[in-house]
Amino acid sequence: MHVTSEQHLDDGVVERGFTLGEIPGILWTPEAASPSAPVPLILLGHPPLGLHRMYPRLVGRARDAAADGFAAATIELPGSGDRPRWAAVEQARADLRRAVEAGEPVGDEIVDALVLPLVGKAVPEWQAALDALLALPEIGGPVGYSGGVISIGTRLAAVEPRISAAVLFAGSFVPRAVFEEARRVTVPLHVLLQWDDEGNDRQAALDLFDAFGSEEKTLQANMGGHTGVPQFAGEAAARFFTRHLS
């Protein structure tokens, strides 16, 4: 893990850019974090739109996490941002756009081609980032995962024993294979669903929630579109992490 930049934000948060091989990432820590007072960590998931485009939302979530005493970190997803284009996924995105523009249903073949390769590559990268982040003396765990793509969060929660709790954002396409993986997820879950999320399958999100094997799982559904998550929903997610990571 190579630190490429460091700055102190105006609310007591230290922001460090880093690279892990070819993968860019960002780490935010409270200024009070130190080897003598290590803090828990929240991994911030996001859609494959690029870190530069997602930065305003990510830094807002990281500031909130730091105010609660947590470090937060994110990495660029494969094929996004400044990382090399990924021909297979680009083709799947084009097929998705054509289906949506034609008013046709988005079939399993398109969903699988769009999501499963991304999950297969992104999850090991998240695990490698977690190795590097937990090696820092100011980060002590436990670890939470927060955000989308929900299929990435589902597999990571299923296969990574260091994830203690997860907040998952519904609203992305879910391959059928991920429903089976969801049954292996046993950590506490808090799932956010926007009821009127344009272009996404509400019933699939409900079915995925039902499939999760966790004994403690909460679904918070709110009216509104994809970007209309109310502030109180974010506050509820923060309280969830305070319960399980503090």
Side-chain angles (χ1 to χ4, degrees):
M1 178 175 169
H2 175 64
V3 175
T4 57
S5 65
E6 180 174 322
Q7 63 174 327
H8 290 248
L9 306 185
D10 56 9
D11 47 0
V13 180
V14 180
E15 177 183 285
R16 281 173 280 179
F18 66 86
T19 56
L20 191 67
E22 66 170 12
I23 307 167
I26 309 173
L27 169 65
W28 296 270
T29 53
E31 287 185 340
S34 68
S36 60
V39 295
L41 172 66
I42 298 175
L43 303 177
L44 301 181
H46 54 90
L49 301 175
L51 285 183
H52 293 300
R53 181 173 172 184
M54 292 300 301
Y55 177 81
R57 291 167 62 183
L58 289 166
V59 73
R61 291 162 60 192
R63 288 176 187 267
D64 290 342
D68 291 331
F70 304 133
T74 192
I75 57 173
E76 187 72 87
L77 290 174
S80 297
D82 295 329
R83 297 187 63 180
R85 297 299 92 185
W86 195 355
V89 173
E90 292 289 323
Q91 182 61 54
R93 289 173 181 164
D95 292 341
L96 173 64
R97 285 193 296 270
R98 278 196 294 270
V100 171
E101 290 169 0
E104 299 172 352
V106 179
D108 290 345
E109 184 176 342
I110 293 177
V111 173
D112 287 356
L114 181 69
V115 179
L116 291 179
L118 179 63
V119 172
K121 190 168 185 180
V123 167
E125 292 182 350
W126 271 116
Q127 291 178 295
L130 188 53
D131 290 341
L133 292 163
L134 289 178
L136 299 174
E138 66 269 34
I139 297 177
V143 180
Y145 176 88
S146 174
V149 175
I150 196 169
S151 294
I152 292 175
T154 297
R155 181 173 294 178
L156 191 60
V159 303
E160 176 49 70
R162 293 172 292 183
I163 300 293
S164 299
V167 171
L168 301 179
F169 298 176
S172 50
F173 292 103
V174 183
R176 292 186 184 275
V178 174
F179 287 86
E180 290 304 314
E181 296 185 38
R183 303 185 196 284
R184 297 161 45 202
V185 175
T186 58
V187 298
L189 292 179
H190 185 92
V191 180
L192 297 176
L193 170 64
Q194 287 301 102
W195 202 249
D196 306 301
D197 196 346
E198 306 87 353
N200 290 301
D201 189 337
R202 179 198 302 162
Q203 189 59 52
L206 296 174
D207 291 344
L208 182 63
F209 179 79
D210 189 50
F212 285 122
S214 303
E215 291 186 5
E216 180 187 335
K217 56 181 180 179
T218 299
L219 175 68
Q220 184 175 33
N222 294 286
M223 304 303 291
H226 189 74
T227 59
V229 180
Q231 181 175 342
F232 63 78
E235 293 167 354
R239 290 194 297 271
F240 169 85
F241 277 132
T242 297
R243 287 200 308 275
H244 291 289
L245 301 184
S246 294

